[in-house]
Amino acid sequence: MRPDAIAVLDFGSQYAQLVARRVREVAVYCELFPWDTQEERVIELRPKGFILSGGPASVYDSEAPQIPDYVFRTGLPVLGICYGMQALTHTLSGRVASSSEREYGIATIETLTENPLILGGEQQVWMSHGDRIEDLPDHFITFARSENSPIAAMGDMERGYFGVQFHPEVSHTPGGKEILRRFVVDVCGATASWTPESIIAESVARVRMQVGDGKVLSAVSGGVDSSVATALVHHAVGDQLNAIFVDNGLLRKQESAEVVRTFRNVMGVELVAIDAVEEFMKALSGITEPEKKRNIIGERFIRIFEREAQQLGAANFLVQGTIYPDVVESSAPERAKAARIKTHHNVGGLPEDMSFELVEPLRYLFKDEVRKVGEKLGLPSELVWRQPFPGPGLAVRCLGEVTPARLTRLRDADAILTYELEKAGFLHLNRQNGEVQGTAQAFTVMLPVRSVGVMGDQRTYEEVVAIRAVTTEDFMTADWARLPYELLARVSSRIVNEVPNVNRVVYDITSKPPATIEWE
Ligand code: XMP
């Protein structure tokens, strides 16, 4: 059964994805469409209501995005956020005052009248707008005001049209999620049924319909997305699925054994594990240039995957762990796209000349939904909640030549860092009283230099390990994590004492930009 849904029309806001995520968090399915998407595509979703996102334009711009006619023709409820509210006002003959001055930051709104969206009293909201509403459209009333926005929220209860000048989707508007819940559940009447169970049931039905009795192949890398996608497809088609895991020798300590154990023993998947460590090491021997390493690893993976796939016999489908943000970003309005997109050359990608139909069971899921589904399917939480790990693995963290001996040092140092961070509660990001603590990503790097040290009475000339630990929401920008000195001291002393051939540990204190998170 299809879940009730809401359509979010994206007018180019940097927060558009966040709107969709918040609606999903109140267990209502929703999809994001660029504002000029063809009517049929949007209506196909059979939405119960529309949310119009914010955006950088002014309604007076010559090419300002318009609310499509069908939104009004459907007679469904509409909530305009920021630009969405201004566009609603402009279209329904209210007056928007253009202004060169922006109101940006935290503001307090005061509710003026009882209404279906906003609780009474005062509350904190996040504002980010230039233009503002000067005259209400006919039949609308003002719900709330702020110091700089006399009409901070408005509505026409009869038609179910609403507008808020502030951003209910961001965390600086603490009551924002409740406003969105009231709109989608109370006003639009959508049933809150988008839960991990229903997501799994829906995906399983979709995969079964697509695959029929065909054979499906999957490449498991140990990453969250490929693991959950594989587990979901296995749930749907059982032994019609063959999963291949290529051990390239570039995973972290114990990781490859853990992947094999999880899939075979816990999930009951027919996993073919290929020990290709030597093959990769040989191919990487003598290579120090980062891009060359990436290319070699990517190419080698494809070769091995093809070889093994052939041995398993003809398959019609290939599982891909594409998730919703990838899909949305490739179709976002141009202006938003330019600001957001960053592509990575991904190892584990699809062999280009193999002819498979893709099965993408996570195509409509956000990362947090992928994780919840993974947990529900029984994947271990260390796997489901793990920090991002680059496709080319430890090769891009082993600066200079990648050798088995250096990889062992790197793995051992990394395991110490991870253990100590976990023990101190710093392995994940926590938010406490508005303060961010912990790390979004933390790892060690082997530097391509040696340095002089002293151990006992001996002079040493050994390797240097760098610790990289960052806080970030989106990995596009990042700050170095302010880890406690005592924690850094413990990690450093354990690494030099326990990892042979390492005599120095340094801490990377650069943000991104100008640096990147990885060193290569
Ligand atoms: P950078 O180093 O560009 O990394 O700041 C941003 C995020 O992307 C991850 N990363 C990769 N992921 N293949 C991937 O799948 C890659 O080649 C790759 N390079 C970097 C990195 O770990 C960080 O989370």
Side-chain angles (χ1 to χ4, degrees), residues 2-8 28-30 42-51 71 74-79 159-160 183-192:
R2 290 168 70 118
D4 283 352
I6 299 292
V8 180
V28 173
Y29 182 68
C30 81
V42 181
I43 295 302
E44 205 180 28
L45 184 68
R46 287 190 243 141
K48 292 266 186 184
F50 294 95
I51 296 180
V71 169
T74 58
L76 292 166
V78 180
L79 170 65
R159 288 183 288 180
F183 176 70
V184 301
V185 175
D186 302 346
V187 175
C188 300
T191 314

PDB file of all heavy atoms in Angstrom, residues 2-8 28-30 42-51 71 74-79 159-160 183-192:
ATOM      1  N   ARG A   2       0.483   2.231  -0.806  1.00  0.00           N
ATOM      2  CA  ARG A   2       1.289   3.456  -0.845  1.00  0.00           C
ATOM      3  C   ARG A   2       1.076   4.279   0.412  1.00  0.00           C
ATOM      4  O   ARG A   2      -0.048   4.419   0.885  1.00  0.00           O
ATOM      5  CB  ARG A   2       0.858   4.305  -2.035  1.00  0.00           C
ATOM      6  CG  ARG A   2       1.240   3.727  -3.371  1.00  0.00           C
ATOM      7  CD  ARG A   2       0.517   4.503  -4.446  1.00  0.00           C
ATOM      8  NE  ARG A   2       1.089   5.847  -4.528  1.00  0.00           N
ATOM      9  CZ  ARG A   2       1.676   6.303  -5.622  1.00  0.00           C
ATOM     10  NH1 ARG A   2       1.778   5.539  -6.668  1.00  0.00           N
ATOM     11  NH2 ARG A   2       2.154   7.518  -5.666  1.00  0.00           N
ATOM     12  N   PRO A   3       2.159   4.852   0.945  1.00  0.00           N
ATOM     13  CA  PRO A   3       1.977   5.709   2.121  1.00  0.00           C
ATOM     14  C   PRO A   3       1.396   7.051   1.695  1.00  0.00           C
ATOM     15  O   PRO A   3       1.562   7.470   0.548  1.00  0.00           O
ATOM     16  CB  PRO A   3       3.409   5.887   2.630  1.00  0.00           C
ATOM     17  CG  PRO A   3       4.274   5.707   1.424  1.00  0.00           C
ATOM     18  CD  PRO A   3       3.555   4.764   0.506  1.00  0.00           C
ATOM     19  N   ASP A   4       0.704   7.739   2.624  1.00  0.00           N
ATOM     20  CA  ASP A   4       0.271   9.110   2.354  1.00  0.00           C
ATOM     21  C   ASP A   4       1.513   9.965   2.141  1.00  0.00           C
ATOM     22  O   ASP A   4       2.538   9.738   2.796  1.00  0.00           O
ATOM     23  CB  ASP A   4      -0.509   9.663   3.557  1.00  0.00           C
ATOM     24  CG  ASP A   4      -1.928   9.100   3.594  1.00  0.00           C
ATOM     25  OD1 ASP A   4      -2.317   8.432   2.612  1.00  0.00           O
ATOM     26  OD2 ASP A   4      -2.631   9.328   4.592  1.00  0.00           O
ATOM     27  N   ALA A   5       1.409  10.944   1.260  1.00  0.00           N
ATOM     28  CA  ALA A   5       2.616  11.698   0.916  1.00  0.00           C
ATOM     29  C   ALA A   5       2.369  13.193   0.829  1.00  0.00           C
ATOM     30  O   ALA A   5       1.239  13.651   0.635  1.00  0.00           O
ATOM     31  CB  ALA A   5       3.151  11.194  -0.420  1.00  0.00           C
ATOM     32  N   ILE A   6       3.451  13.937   0.984  1.00  0.00           N
ATOM     33  CA  ILE A   6       3.448  15.388   0.818  1.00  0.00           C
ATOM     34  C   ILE A   6       4.466  15.716  -0.272  1.00  0.00           C
ATOM     35  O   ILE A   6       5.538  15.110  -0.320  1.00  0.00           O
ATOM     36  CB  ILE A   6       3.887  16.088   2.136  1.00  0.00           C
ATOM     37  CG1 ILE A   6       2.923  15.769   3.288  1.00  0.00           C
ATOM     38  CG2 ILE A   6       4.040  17.602   1.945  1.00  0.00           C
ATOM     39  CD1 ILE A   6       1.527  16.369   3.156  1.00  0.00           C
ATOM     40  N   ALA A   7       4.127  16.672  -1.140  1.00  0.00           N
ATOM     41  CA  ALA A   7       5.091  17.108  -2.164  1.00  0.00           C
ATOM     42  C   ALA A   7       5.725  18.421  -1.722  1.00  0.00           C
ATOM     43  O   ALA A   7       5.013  19.373  -1.389  1.00  0.00           O
ATOM     44  CB  ALA A   7       4.386  17.286  -3.496  1.00  0.00           C
ATOM     45  N   VAL A   8       7.061  18.442  -1.675  1.00  0.00           N
ATOM     46  CA  VAL A   8       7.771  19.685  -1.365  1.00  0.00           C
ATOM     47  C   VAL A   8       8.291  20.250  -2.680  1.00  0.00           C
ATOM     48  O   VAL A   8       9.036  19.564  -3.396  1.00  0.00           O
ATOM     49  CB  VAL A   8       8.966  19.427  -0.412  1.00  0.00           C
ATOM     50  CG1 VAL A   8       9.693  20.731  -0.109  1.00  0.00           C
ATOM     51  CG2 VAL A   8       8.503  18.760   0.870  1.00  0.00           C
ATOM     52  N   VAL A  28       5.731  10.910   7.971  1.00  0.00           N
ATOM     53  CA  VAL A  28       4.928  11.085   6.764  1.00  0.00           C
ATOM     54  C   VAL A  28       5.889  11.105   5.580  1.00  0.00           C
ATOM     55  O   VAL A  28       6.890  11.826   5.588  1.00  0.00           O
ATOM     56  CB  VAL A  28       4.103  12.391   6.818  1.00  0.00           C
ATOM     57  CG1 VAL A  28       3.411  12.642   5.477  1.00  0.00           C
ATOM     58  CG2 VAL A  28       3.075  12.318   7.941  1.00  0.00           C
ATOM     59  N   TYR A  29       5.572  10.314   4.571  1.00  0.00           N
ATOM     60  CA  TYR A  29       6.449  10.241   3.404  1.00  0.00           C
ATOM     61  C   TYR A  29       6.369  11.540   2.623  1.00  0.00           C
ATOM     62  O   TYR A  29       5.294  12.147   2.519  1.00  0.00           O
ATOM     63  CB  TYR A  29       6.001   9.077   2.509  1.00  0.00           C
ATOM     64  CG  TYR A  29       6.899   8.900   1.309  1.00  0.00           C
ATOM     65  CD1 TYR A  29       8.215   8.471   1.485  1.00  0.00           C
ATOM     66  CD2 TYR A  29       6.450   9.201   0.034  1.00  0.00           C
ATOM     67  CE1 TYR A  29       9.060   8.333   0.395  1.00  0.00           C
ATOM     68  CE2 TYR A  29       7.289   9.058  -1.063  1.00  0.00           C
ATOM     69  CZ  TYR A  29       8.589   8.625  -0.876  1.00  0.00           C
ATOM     70  OH  TYR A  29       9.427   8.499  -1.950  1.00  0.00           O
ATOM     71  N   CYS A  30       7.487  12.009   2.106  1.00  0.00           N
ATOM     72  CA  CYS A  30       7.402  13.166   1.227  1.00  0.00           C
ATOM     73  C   CYS A  30       8.526  13.131   0.228  1.00  0.00           C
ATOM     74  O   CYS A  30       9.543  12.461   0.440  1.00  0.00           O
ATOM     75  CB  CYS A  30       7.377  14.461   2.020  1.00  0.00           C
ATOM     76  SG  CYS A  30       8.954  14.986   2.538  1.00  0.00           S
ATOM     77  N   VAL A  42       4.642  15.139 -10.375  1.00  0.00           N
ATOM     78  CA  VAL A  42       4.318  15.485  -8.989  1.00  0.00           C
ATOM     79  C   VAL A  42       2.979  14.848  -8.586  1.00  0.00           C
ATOM     80  O   VAL A  42       2.862  14.247  -7.513  1.00  0.00           O
ATOM     81  CB  VAL A  42       4.258  17.024  -8.801  1.00  0.00           C
ATOM     82  CG1 VAL A  42       3.957  17.378  -7.349  1.00  0.00           C
ATOM     83  CG2 VAL A  42       5.574  17.661  -9.250  1.00  0.00           C
ATOM     84  N   ILE A  43       2.015  14.937  -9.478  1.00  0.00           N
ATOM     85  CA  ILE A  43       0.668  14.448  -9.157  1.00  0.00           C
ATOM     86  C   ILE A  43       0.649  12.927  -9.009  1.00  0.00           C
ATOM     87  O   ILE A  43      -0.136  12.354  -8.251  1.00  0.00           O
ATOM     88  CB  ILE A  43      -0.346  14.939 -10.223  1.00  0.00           C
ATOM     89  CG1 ILE A  43      -0.448  16.458 -10.148  1.00  0.00           C
ATOM     90  CG2 ILE A  43      -1.717  14.301 -10.045  1.00  0.00           C
ATOM     91  CD1 ILE A  43      -0.859  17.014  -8.794  1.00  0.00           C
ATOM     92  N   GLU A  44       1.562  12.284  -9.722  1.00  0.00           N
ATOM     93  CA  GLU A  44       1.705  10.830  -9.639  1.00  0.00           C
ATOM     94  C   GLU A  44       1.868  10.361  -8.184  1.00  0.00           C
ATOM     95  O   GLU A  44       1.477   9.278  -7.805  1.00  0.00           O
ATOM     96  CB  GLU A  44       2.961  10.448 -10.419  1.00  0.00           C
ATOM     97  CG  GLU A  44       2.988   9.046 -10.946  1.00  0.00           C
ATOM     98  CD  GLU A  44       4.294   8.807 -11.707  1.00  0.00           C
ATOM     99  OE1 GLU A  44       5.327   9.454 -11.392  1.00  0.00           O
ATOM    100  OE2 GLU A  44       4.275   7.984 -12.591  1.00  0.00           O
ATOM    101  N   LEU A  45       2.476  11.225  -7.375  1.00  0.00           N
ATOM    102  CA  LEU A  45       2.717  10.901  -5.968  1.00  0.00           C
ATOM    103  C   LEU A  45       1.405  10.869  -5.173  1.00  0.00           C
ATOM    104  O   LEU A  45       1.348  10.334  -4.075  1.00  0.00           O
ATOM    105  CB  LEU A  45       3.665  11.968  -5.381  1.00  0.00           C
ATOM    106  CG  LEU A  45       4.144  11.812  -3.950  1.00  0.00           C
ATOM    107  CD1 LEU A  45       5.077  10.615  -3.826  1.00  0.00           C
ATOM    108  CD2 LEU A  45       4.874  13.080  -3.482  1.00  0.00           C
ATOM    109  N   ARG A  46       0.368  11.440  -5.750  1.00  0.00           N
ATOM    110  CA  ARG A  46      -0.941  11.636  -5.089  1.00  0.00           C
ATOM    111  C   ARG A  46      -0.761  12.302  -3.722  1.00  0.00           C
ATOM    112  O   ARG A  46      -1.096  11.729  -2.662  1.00  0.00           O
ATOM    113  CB  ARG A  46      -1.667  10.304  -4.938  1.00  0.00           C
ATOM    114  CG  ARG A  46      -2.198   9.811  -6.287  1.00  0.00           C
ATOM    115  CD  ARG A  46      -3.122   8.642  -6.088  1.00  0.00           C
ATOM    116  NE  ARG A  46      -2.605   7.458  -6.715  1.00  0.00           N
ATOM    117  CZ  ARG A  46      -2.677   6.243  -6.218  1.00  0.00           C
ATOM    118  NH1 ARG A  46      -3.233   6.041  -5.039  1.00  0.00           N
ATOM    119  NH2 ARG A  46      -2.194   5.213  -6.861  1.00  0.00           N
ATOM    120  N   PRO A  47      -0.170  13.507  -3.737  1.00  0.00           N
ATOM    121  CA  PRO A  47       0.117  14.166  -2.452  1.00  0.00           C
ATOM    122  C   PRO A  47      -1.147  14.588  -1.724  1.00  0.00           C
ATOM    123  O   PRO A  47      -2.190  14.805  -2.341  1.00  0.00           O
ATOM    124  CB  PRO A  47       0.934  15.398  -2.858  1.00  0.00           C
ATOM    125  CG  PRO A  47       0.540  15.680  -4.261  1.00  0.00           C
ATOM    126  CD  PRO A  47       0.202  14.359  -4.890  1.00  0.00           C
ATOM    127  N   LYS A  48      -1.020  14.697  -0.407  1.00  0.00           N
ATOM    128  CA  LYS A  48      -2.132  15.179   0.428  1.00  0.00           C
ATOM    129  C   LYS A  48      -2.003  16.683   0.650  1.00  0.00           C
ATOM    130  O   LYS A  48      -2.854  17.293   1.292  1.00  0.00           O
ATOM    131  CB  LYS A  48      -2.071  14.494   1.794  1.00  0.00           C
ATOM    132  CG  LYS A  48      -2.365  13.019   1.737  1.00  0.00           C
ATOM    133  CD  LYS A  48      -3.829  12.825   2.008  1.00  0.00           C
ATOM    134  CE  LYS A  48      -4.186  11.376   2.122  1.00  0.00           C
ATOM    135  NZ  LYS A  48      -5.622  11.203   2.283  1.00  0.00           N
ATOM    136  N   GLY A  49      -0.870  17.249   0.239  1.00  0.00           N
ATOM    137  CA  GLY A  49      -0.664  18.682   0.412  1.00  0.00           C
ATOM    138  C   GLY A  49       0.690  19.074  -0.162  1.00  0.00           C
ATOM    139  O   GLY A  49       1.493  18.213  -0.532  1.00  0.00           O
ATOM    140  N   PHE A  50       0.906  20.398  -0.240  1.00  0.00           N
ATOM    141  CA  PHE A  50       2.146  20.915  -0.813  1.00  0.00           C
ATOM    142  C   PHE A  50       2.879  21.788   0.193  1.00  0.00           C
ATOM    143  O   PHE A  50       2.246  22.551   0.924  1.00  0.00           O
ATOM    144  CB  PHE A  50       1.854  21.789  -2.035  1.00  0.00           C
ATOM    145  CG  PHE A  50       1.266  21.041  -3.184  1.00  0.00           C
ATOM    146  CD1 PHE A  50      -0.111  20.998  -3.368  1.00  0.00           C
ATOM    147  CD2 PHE A  50       2.088  20.376  -4.087  1.00  0.00           C
ATOM    148  CE1 PHE A  50      -0.657  20.303  -4.434  1.00  0.00           C
ATOM    149  CE2 PHE A  50       1.550  19.677  -5.154  1.00  0.00           C
ATOM    150  CZ  PHE A  50       0.170  19.632  -5.325  1.00  0.00           C
ATOM    151  N   ILE A  51       4.211  21.671   0.189  1.00  0.00           N
ATOM    152  CA  ILE A  51       5.022  22.641   0.926  1.00  0.00           C
ATOM    153  C   ILE A  51       5.895  23.347  -0.111  1.00  0.00           C
ATOM    154  O   ILE A  51       6.529  22.691  -0.948  1.00  0.00           O
ATOM    155  CB  ILE A  51       5.900  21.962   1.994  1.00  0.00           C
ATOM    156  CG1 ILE A  51       5.011  21.304   3.057  1.00  0.00           C
ATOM    157  CG2 ILE A  51       6.831  22.988   2.650  1.00  0.00           C
ATOM    158  CD1 ILE A  51       5.771  20.586   4.169  1.00  0.00           C
ATOM    159  N   VAL A  71      -1.016  23.445  -8.403  1.00  0.00           N
ATOM    160  CA  VAL A  71      -1.024  23.464  -6.936  1.00  0.00           C
ATOM    161  C   VAL A  71      -2.374  24.000  -6.445  1.00  0.00           C
ATOM    162  O   VAL A  71      -2.981  23.452  -5.535  1.00  0.00           O
ATOM    163  CB  VAL A  71       0.141  24.324  -6.397  1.00  0.00           C
ATOM    164  CG1 VAL A  71      -0.001  24.588  -4.905  1.00  0.00           C
ATOM    165  CG2 VAL A  71       1.476  23.648  -6.698  1.00  0.00           C
ATOM    166  N   THR A  74      -5.616  21.662  -7.561  1.00  0.00           N
ATOM    167  CA  THR A  74      -5.898  20.444  -6.794  1.00  0.00           C
ATOM    168  C   THR A  74      -6.786  20.730  -5.577  1.00  0.00           C
ATOM    169  O   THR A  74      -7.426  19.819  -5.071  1.00  0.00           O
ATOM    170  CB  THR A  74      -4.606  19.814  -6.239  1.00  0.00           C
ATOM    171  OG1 THR A  74      -3.957  20.779  -5.420  1.00  0.00           O
ATOM    172  CG2 THR A  74      -3.681  19.334  -7.334  1.00  0.00           C
ATOM    173  N   GLY A  75      -6.793  21.977  -5.117  1.00  0.00           N
ATOM    174  CA  GLY A  75      -7.586  22.315  -3.928  1.00  0.00           C
ATOM    175  C   GLY A  75      -6.970  21.775  -2.641  1.00  0.00           C
ATOM    176  O   GLY A  75      -7.595  21.808  -1.582  1.00  0.00           O
ATOM    177  N   LEU A  76      -5.711  21.289  -2.710  1.00  0.00           N
ATOM    178  CA  LEU A  76      -5.062  20.716  -1.523  1.00  0.00           C
ATOM    179  C   LEU A  76      -4.431  21.822  -0.667  1.00  0.00           C
ATOM    180  O   LEU A  76      -4.138  22.905  -1.165  1.00  0.00           O
ATOM    181  CB  LEU A  76      -3.965  19.734  -1.959  1.00  0.00           C
ATOM    182  CG  LEU A  76      -4.452  18.457  -2.645  1.00  0.00           C
ATOM    183  CD1 LEU A  76      -3.293  17.742  -3.321  1.00  0.00           C
ATOM    184  CD2 LEU A  76      -5.133  17.546  -1.623  1.00  0.00           C
ATOM    185  N   PRO A  77      -4.192  21.536   0.621  1.00  0.00           N
ATOM    186  CA  PRO A  77      -3.544  22.532   1.478  1.00  0.00           C
ATOM    187  C   PRO A  77      -2.126  22.872   0.999  1.00  0.00           C
ATOM    188  O   PRO A  77      -1.452  22.021   0.409  1.00  0.00           O
ATOM    189  CB  PRO A  77      -3.478  21.832   2.845  1.00  0.00           C
ATOM    190  CG  PRO A  77      -4.488  20.749   2.789  1.00  0.00           C
ATOM    191  CD  PRO A  77      -4.569  20.322   1.360  1.00  0.00           C
ATOM    192  N   VAL A  78      -1.725  24.111   1.254  1.00  0.00           N
ATOM    193  CA  VAL A  78      -0.403  24.589   0.834  1.00  0.00           C
ATOM    194  C   VAL A  78       0.251  25.310   2.012  1.00  0.00           C
ATOM    195  O   VAL A  78      -0.397  26.115   2.677  1.00  0.00           O
ATOM    196  CB  VAL A  78      -0.527  25.599  -0.338  1.00  0.00           C
ATOM    197  CG1 VAL A  78       0.857  26.098  -0.768  1.00  0.00           C
ATOM    198  CG2 VAL A  78      -1.261  24.994  -1.526  1.00  0.00           C
ATOM    199  N   LEU A  79       1.516  25.003   2.258  1.00  0.00           N
ATOM    200  CA  LEU A  79       2.292  25.765   3.245  1.00  0.00           C
ATOM    201  C   LEU A  79       3.500  26.383   2.548  1.00  0.00           C
ATOM    202  O   LEU A  79       4.338  25.669   2.007  1.00  0.00           O
ATOM    203  CB  LEU A  79       2.774  24.843   4.378  1.00  0.00           C
ATOM    204  CG  LEU A  79       3.789  25.467   5.355  1.00  0.00           C
ATOM    205  CD1 LEU A  79       3.174  26.618   6.147  1.00  0.00           C
ATOM    206  CD2 LEU A  79       4.337  24.415   6.320  1.00  0.00           C
ATOM    207  N   ARG A 159      -9.373  27.739   2.804  1.00  0.00           N
ATOM    208  CA  ARG A 159      -8.738  27.055   1.666  1.00  0.00           C
ATOM    209  C   ARG A 159      -7.563  26.181   2.095  1.00  0.00           C
ATOM    210  O   ARG A 159      -7.017  25.425   1.310  1.00  0.00           O
ATOM    211  CB  ARG A 159      -8.258  28.096   0.643  1.00  0.00           C
ATOM    212  CG  ARG A 159      -9.406  28.744  -0.124  1.00  0.00           C
ATOM    213  CD  ARG A 159      -8.899  29.712  -1.175  1.00  0.00           C
ATOM    214  NE  ARG A 159      -8.345  30.935  -0.584  1.00  0.00           N
ATOM    215  CZ  ARG A 159      -7.836  31.942  -1.292  1.00  0.00           C
ATOM    216  NH1 ARG A 159      -7.784  31.865  -2.615  1.00  0.00           N
ATOM    217  NH2 ARG A 159      -7.372  33.023  -0.690  1.00  0.00           N
ATOM    218  N   GLY A 160      -7.148  26.325   3.349  1.00  0.00           N
ATOM    219  CA  GLY A 160      -5.994  25.541   3.794  1.00  0.00           C
ATOM    220  C   GLY A 160      -4.685  26.067   3.233  1.00  0.00           C
ATOM    221  O   GLY A 160      -3.774  25.301   2.947  1.00  0.00           O
ATOM    222  N   PHE A 183       0.875  20.772  10.174  1.00  0.00           N
ATOM    223  CA  PHE A 183       0.448  20.993   8.793  1.00  0.00           C
ATOM    224  C   PHE A 183       0.183  19.659   8.091  1.00  0.00           C
ATOM    225  O   PHE A 183      -0.885  19.439   7.533  1.00  0.00           O
ATOM    226  CB  PHE A 183       1.485  21.821   8.013  1.00  0.00           C
ATOM    227  CG  PHE A 183       1.106  21.971   6.563  1.00  0.00           C
ATOM    228  CD1 PHE A 183       0.019  22.775   6.207  1.00  0.00           C
ATOM    229  CD2 PHE A 183       1.782  21.280   5.572  1.00  0.00           C
ATOM    230  CE1 PHE A 183      -0.369  22.896   4.867  1.00  0.00           C
ATOM    231  CE2 PHE A 183       1.396  21.398   4.240  1.00  0.00           C
ATOM    232  CZ  PHE A 183       0.323  22.207   3.897  1.00  0.00           C
ATOM    233  N   VAL A 184       1.154  18.742   8.135  1.00  0.00           N
ATOM    234  CA  VAL A 184       0.992  17.522   7.330  1.00  0.00           C
ATOM    235  C   VAL A 184      -0.041  16.561   7.922  1.00  0.00           C
ATOM    236  O   VAL A 184      -0.800  15.933   7.190  1.00  0.00           O
ATOM    237  CB  VAL A 184       2.340  16.795   7.054  1.00  0.00           C
ATOM    238  CG1 VAL A 184       3.293  17.708   6.321  1.00  0.00           C
ATOM    239  CG2 VAL A 184       2.975  16.265   8.303  1.00  0.00           C
ATOM    240  N   VAL A 185      -0.088  16.467   9.232  1.00  0.00           N
ATOM    241  CA  VAL A 185      -1.010  15.495   9.847  1.00  0.00           C
ATOM    242  C   VAL A 185      -2.393  16.118  10.091  1.00  0.00           C
ATOM    243  O   VAL A 185      -3.408  15.614   9.624  1.00  0.00           O
ATOM    244  CB  VAL A 185      -0.424  14.925  11.154  1.00  0.00           C
ATOM    245  CG1 VAL A 185      -1.427  14.008  11.840  1.00  0.00           C
ATOM    246  CG2 VAL A 185       0.873  14.164  10.877  1.00  0.00           C
ATOM    247  N   ASP A 186      -2.428  17.272  10.808  1.00  0.00           N
ATOM    248  CA  ASP A 186      -3.728  17.851  11.185  1.00  0.00           C
ATOM    249  C   ASP A 186      -4.416  18.523   9.995  1.00  0.00           C
ATOM    250  O   ASP A 186      -5.607  18.343   9.775  1.00  0.00           O
ATOM    251  CB  ASP A 186      -3.564  18.871  12.322  1.00  0.00           C
ATOM    252  CG  ASP A 186      -2.924  18.234  13.559  1.00  0.00           C
ATOM    253  OD1 ASP A 186      -2.865  16.996  13.608  1.00  0.00           O
ATOM    254  OD2 ASP A 186      -2.475  18.989  14.441  1.00  0.00           O
ATOM    255  N   VAL A 187      -3.649  19.329   9.251  1.00  0.00           N
ATOM    256  CA  VAL A 187      -4.286  20.074   8.158  1.00  0.00           C
ATOM    257  C   VAL A 187      -4.469  19.189   6.914  1.00  0.00           C
ATOM    258  O   VAL A 187      -5.558  19.095   6.359  1.00  0.00           O
ATOM    259  CB  VAL A 187      -3.469  21.344   7.800  1.00  0.00           C
ATOM    260  CG1 VAL A 187      -4.078  22.040   6.590  1.00  0.00           C
ATOM    261  CG2 VAL A 187      -3.391  22.291   8.990  1.00  0.00           C
ATOM    262  N   CYS A 188      -3.377  18.541   6.489  1.00  0.00           N
ATOM    263  CA  CYS A 188      -3.477  17.743   5.259  1.00  0.00           C
ATOM    264  C   CYS A 188      -4.136  16.381   5.508  1.00  0.00           C
ATOM    265  O   CYS A 188      -4.558  15.709   4.575  1.00  0.00           O
ATOM    266  CB  CYS A 188      -2.094  17.508   4.650  1.00  0.00           C
ATOM    267  SG  CYS A 188      -1.239  19.021   4.203  1.00  0.00           S
ATOM    268  N   GLY A 189      -4.158  15.940   6.757  1.00  0.00           N
ATOM    269  CA  GLY A 189      -4.783  14.655   7.067  1.00  0.00           C
ATOM    270  C   GLY A 189      -3.940  13.458   6.647  1.00  0.00           C
ATOM    271  O   GLY A 189      -4.472  12.356   6.450  1.00  0.00           O
ATOM    272  N   ALA A 190      -2.636  13.656   6.495  1.00  0.00           N
ATOM    273  CA  ALA A 190      -1.783  12.519   6.115  1.00  0.00           C
ATOM    274  C   ALA A 190      -1.599  11.589   7.321  1.00  0.00           C
ATOM    275  O   ALA A 190      -1.437  12.059   8.448  1.00  0.00           O
ATOM    276  CB  ALA A 190      -0.419  13.022   5.643  1.00  0.00           C
ATOM    277  N   THR A 191      -1.636  10.288   7.074  1.00  0.00           N
ATOM    278  CA  THR A 191      -1.420   9.329   8.158  1.00  0.00           C
ATOM    279  C   THR A 191       0.071   9.182   8.396  1.00  0.00           C
ATOM    280  O   THR A 191       0.841   9.025   7.449  1.00  0.00           O
ATOM    281  CB  THR A 191      -1.984   7.939   7.775  1.00  0.00           C
ATOM    282  OG1 THR A 191      -3.276   8.143   7.234  1.00  0.00           O
ATOM    283  CG2 THR A 191      -2.050   7.006   8.959  1.00  0.00           C
ATOM    284  N   ALA A 192       0.464   9.235   9.674  1.00  0.00           N
ATOM    285  CA  ALA A 192       1.887   9.111  10.001  1.00  0.00           C
ATOM    286  C   ALA A 192       2.277   7.630  10.006  1.00  0.00           C
ATOM    287  O   ALA A 192       2.321   6.996  11.042  1.00  0.00           O
ATOM    288  CB  ALA A 192       2.162   9.757  11.344  1.00  0.00           C
TER     289      ALA A 192
END
